Every structure is written in structure tokens, then in C-alpha cells.
Amino acid sequence: MKDLNEIVSHFNIEGTVKEISPLGAGLINDTYKVLTNEKETDDYVLQRINHIIFQDVELMQNNIQRVTDQIRKKLKERGETDIKRKTLTIIPAKDGKLYYFDGSSYWRITILIKNSKSYEAVTPEFSYYTGKAFGDFQNMLVDIPGKPLGATIPNFHNMEFRLEQFKDAIKDNKAGRLEKVQWIVDELMNRADEMCKAERLNREGKLPKRITHCDTKVNNMLFDATTDDFLCVIDLDTTMPGYVLSDFGDFMRTAGNTAAEDETDLTKISLNMDIFKSFTKGYVESAKPFLERIEIENLPYGAKLLTYMQTVRFLTDYLNGDVYYKIKSAEHNWERTLAQFTLLKSIEEKEPQMMEFIDQMLASN
């Protein structure tokens, strides 16, 4: 731990370091808990930033600072208490930057939110509160001052861009797998035009970009370990301009799936309509101060879009020889592709039910 202590010494923390230990099992960044000796001082979270994925660390950290400053401002205006536990707090390095570069790696420190916990799965009731939390997160950021936030991963949820990558993978066929998967390539390409609708609507000035989280999983929320009350949204690395359809759709793709992302028994996979209804109700209640009708009407499309996008991304990686996603077996990306495509078909089948629910919500407001 000597090197980690040296890293921490470059930040403006209070107190002296007692212990540094691994925290969580994140797939992107390496994370550590930093405990201090003094009772009156905070404990901290130290992270090594994956700058292969997040190539502009300064832009990302500036985004996070602006986002958390705006949330703090909104919470104060509401008369909220315990604000330190309701948004992340970045600790700057001693040179004033929001990160420290040791010559090979980028590091950052935030205050540890004490007496908090997260969840990996949701019930329909819990989905309602999750929807309210993410809707409120977007609502607090809709009028963030200054220039637009930068894109921490350019084209991250741009379907046109993902399809160009897919077409290149099909053309190159680097792993020699195209013949085996040609049937699903055809299925996906048949849907390609429809799935680029969001980008077209934006160019036509009909679908606005908001500040979106872009990784709306329930485990990116913290709750009070004693009361179970919602505290804050975390993991803000991909918070950047995007469509509300992305945040909504990504939650449906993950939490609304009745099985795991890589489930091999495809009969277990479908969209949980109770999760859809609960999350949608909570989300629209919190986000309605800024949502336009076109955004609400296209929420079911968002569920299709993000599931389709992830199917395309898994299959692209499979065709390229598994160079992006970590895999547990040679066929892991193919298994993921089949699972996501099965979920996509379930969403398509249930789209009339989803639209009926949306129409009922709009009629009652």
C-alpha cells in the first residue's frame, strides 16, 4: 500500500491515512476505500481512472464538478439537509487539479458517503423510487449554467455510429464468424433504419438533448443503510449530453430484463412489465417539469433502442474477435448477443402494452 499512500499524499484530504483497502468490484476503474485516523475527518474513495476508456480525464472531471455543484445548488434551494451525503464531493489535488497524474495513471478522490449501501436488483415497488431518482437527477441538471458539458465517450449512445462500427465488422469478418451469425446480422440490419430515429429527430429539431447519466443501473444509486432512503446517484463518469430515451432505455434493458444479460436459457428472458410501469410512473413524475411530449411518447422506443444497440455492440465485438468486452468463454459475446436479441423481441411484442400505459399517463396529466 506504500504506492497508494504516496498517491493520496498528493490530494487535499483532511486527517491522516489509517488504512487503504479495495472497494467494490468495478469493471472500469480500480477503487479503494481510504480510512482516516481522526473521528472528526471524512473517509475517502480513491480511484484509478481507466484512461483507455475515458481519454480526456480533465473534461470528465470538469463535467462531474459542474454536475455535482449544480445538484448541491438545487438541494440547497429545496432546503435539503445532509447535502454532503446527497451528491459526490471531489477532493482536488494539491496543484488545484481535479485529478492527479503519476506519470502513467490518473487518480481522483471523493468523500466517502458514510452509512450508505447499493442494490443489484429491483422489485416493481423499488423501481418506482428508482425512476423518481433518475428523473429528479435529470431535472436538477436541465438548466445547468454555462457551455454544454463535453462528451466523455464521444458517440457513446449514437446508434448511427454504432451501426457504422457494425458494418465495418461485417465487412472485415476478422474472426471468421460471419457465416454462423448471418441470420441475426440480417435481423438487425432490417431494423437499422427504425433504430436511427432518435438521431434524425434531433437533427430535425424535434428531440432535444439533455444531461443524461448514460449508465442508469440501480447499483449506481446509494441508499441510507439504516432507513433505506435514497441518497444520491453515483458513477458520473458518463454524465454528458444525450437523449432521455437513453437513460430510460438502459434501465429497462438491465433492470427490466427477467434474466441475466448473458442468460443462455433464452426461455427465461422477457421484459418485466411491472418493472416498466413502476419505473415509468416514478420517472415521469419527477421529470415532467421539463419533459416534452415527444420524449414521453418515445420512452418505449428508448427501451427498444438501447437493447438493440447493446445487441449490435456485443455482436460487433464477436465478429471482431472479442477485443472490447471481457469474456468468460469463447462464445460469451455470442451468448450475450442472443440474450439481448431475445429481450429485444420481447420488448417489440410488448410495445403496444407500453404505449397504452404511456397514453393513459398522458391522458391523466
Side-chain angles (χ1 to χ4, degrees), residues 168-187:
D168 288 342
I170 294 167
K171 176 172 61 71
D172 296 339
N173 192 21
K174 292 178 181 177
R177 292 166 165 170
L178 180 59
E179 184 177 358
K180 169 185 173 180
V181 305
Q182 186 65 55
W183 68 270
I184 200 169
V185 167
D186 294 340
E187 289 272 8

Side-chain angles (χ1 to χ4, degrees), residues 299-328:
L299 291 178
Y301 171 75
K304 279 199 307 185
L305 173 62
L306 267 291
T307 306
Y308 174 85
M309 186 182 299
Q310 197 57 53
T311 308
V312 166
R313 293 183 66 191
F314 283 144
L315 187 54
T316 298
D317 200 32
Y318 185 69
L319 289 170
N320 285 335
D322 310 307
V323 295
Y324 185 82
Y325 292 107
K326 292 180 181 179
I327 57 172
K328 298 176 182 177

Side-chain angles (χ1 to χ4, degrees), residues 119-123 126 218-219 255:
Y119 291 95
E120 294 297 326
V122 292
T123 61
F126 202 63
V218 69
N219 60 7

Side-chain angles (χ1 to χ4, degrees), residues 184-202:
I184 200 169
V185 167
D186 294 340
E187 289 272 8
L188 293 171
M189 291 308 299
N190 285 340
R191 293 166 168 82
D193 185 65
E194 179 196 2
M195 293 303 173
C196 293
K197 180 174 74 168
E199 298 300 333
R200 290 196 297 271
L201 288 173
N202 177 255

Side-chain angles (χ1 to χ4, degrees), residues 94-108:
K94 290 180 177 177
D95 62 3
K97 293 181 179 179
L98 302 175
Y99 60 89
Y100 168 69
F101 181 60
D102 68 5
S104 60
S105 297
Y106 291 85
W107 300 84
R108 65 179 170 205

Side-chain angles (χ1 to χ4, degrees), residues 1-12:
M1 291 298 175
K2 180 180 179 182
D3 289 343
L4 294 182
N5 275 285
E6 198 275 332
I7 295 296
V8 172
S9 72
H10 290 275
F11 289 88
N12 285 319

